[in-house]
Amino acid sequence: AQSVSQHNHHVILSEAASLELGCNYSYGGTVNLFWYVQYPGQHLQLLLKYFSGDPLVKGIKGFEAEFIKSKFSFNLRKPSVQWSDTAEYFCAVNTGGFKTIFGAGTRLFVKA
Amino acid sequence: NAGVTQTPKFQVLKTGQSMTLQCAQDMNHEYMSWYRQDPGMGLRLIHYSVGAGITDQGEVPNGYNVSRSTTEDFPLRLLSAAPSQTSVYFCASSYQQTANLNTEAFFGQGTRLTVV
């Protein structure tokens, strides 16, 4: 069965530190890849997405992610985090069959 | 723009009670789905629908029913609530990019359900 693994469940960073959140999926076919963010008390919002083309995709608020097909990975990065980036981040994969599978999420806490 | 609208936002049920969580979208999306969100487990798919009249089970369907009589609405029914169904429920819709790949999901605000 397809699955999505997020390596870190909790991450604590100081402001201005660099961020990288890992995401790996298990599926050999065509995929659509997403990162969603959930700020405290809010619903999930799309951060960025990859459908095809340039494997380095840029999203909102300075986030980017790189799709490495050979590694089945779609890691999220941000060079300098802010306190307002405190949220939970979900990697998601749509593998066809009309299902989008979510990872367990990574809670990021940024210390001011 | 309304997007995806869920009601209610909060609900407390007693064990054995039934209720329906409402979800409506105004984006003419064919694909709609229900997830439950539990700490440390991310979002798990309960049921989904690829169009009016078509529904299918997701990862954790037991104890839940759905129907899709119109493109806009996708209600989730709890037949006999159990404490294990205490969770936050999200409805989502998306547009089909190709025959079997969807674009990004648009989420509702969520329903926080407590079963006592």
Side-chain angles (χ1 to χ4, degrees), chain A residues 38-67:
Chain A
Q38 186 178 29
Y39 297 105
Q42 297 188 26
H43 63 100
L44 278 79
Q45 305 168 42
L46 182 69
L47 203 54
L48 50 77
K49 62 189 178 186
Y50 171 81
F51 288 169
S52 63
D54 189 344
L56 183 62
V57 293
K58 296 190 183 299
I60 59 172
K61 303 185 180 183
F63 286 90
E64 65 178 30
E66 184 176 13
F67 170 49

Side-chain angles (χ1 to χ4, degrees), chain A residues 9-10 88 90 103-107, chain B residues 37-44:
Chain A
H9 291 158
H10 293 90
E88 190 160 14
F90 294 92
T106 298
R107 290 197 170 191
Chain B
Q37 183 182 26
D38 300 293
M41 305 187 75
L43 277 79
R44 292 182 292 169

Side-chain angles (χ1 to χ4, degrees), chain B residues 7-22 36 63-64 76-87 89 111-116:
Chain B
T7 55
K9 291 186 178 179
F10 301 94
Q11 184 70 50
V12 178
L13 290 177
K14 294 182 179 179
T15 298
Q17 286 185 313
S18 63
M19 81 160 293
T20 299
L21 307 185
Q22 301 291 343
R36 59 178 291 174
Y64 308 95
L76 177 72
R77 280 184 289 276
L78 281 73
L79 305 175
S80 178
S84 61
Q85 293 178 304
T86 294
S87 186
Y89 292 84
T111 298
R112 189 173 293 274
L113 175 67
T114 302
V115 182
V116 298

Side-chain angles (χ1 to χ4, degrees), chain B residues 21-92:
Chain B
L21 307 185
Q22 301 291 343
C23 176
Q25 54 92 9
D26 61 359
M27 297 173 282
N28 202 31
H29 286 167
E30 296 171 343
Y31 182 80
M32 296 185 73
S33 52
W34 276 101
Y35 292 88
R36 59 178 291 174
Q37 183 182 26
D38 300 293
M41 305 187 75
L43 277 79
R44 292 182 292 169
L45 183 65
I46 304 172
H47 285 284
Y48 65 96
S49 169
V50 300
I54 306 170
T55 64
D56 205 348
Q57 295 182 349
E59 190 181 350
V60 287
N62 292 341
Y64 308 95
N65 276 358
V66 292
S67 59
R68 185 91 179 272
S69 56
T70 66
T71 300
E72 294 79 18
D73 300 300
F74 190 45
L76 177 72
R77 280 184 289 276
L78 281 73
L79 305 175
S80 178
S84 61
Q85 293 178 304
T86 294
S87 186
V88 180
Y89 292 84
F90 286 101
C91 177

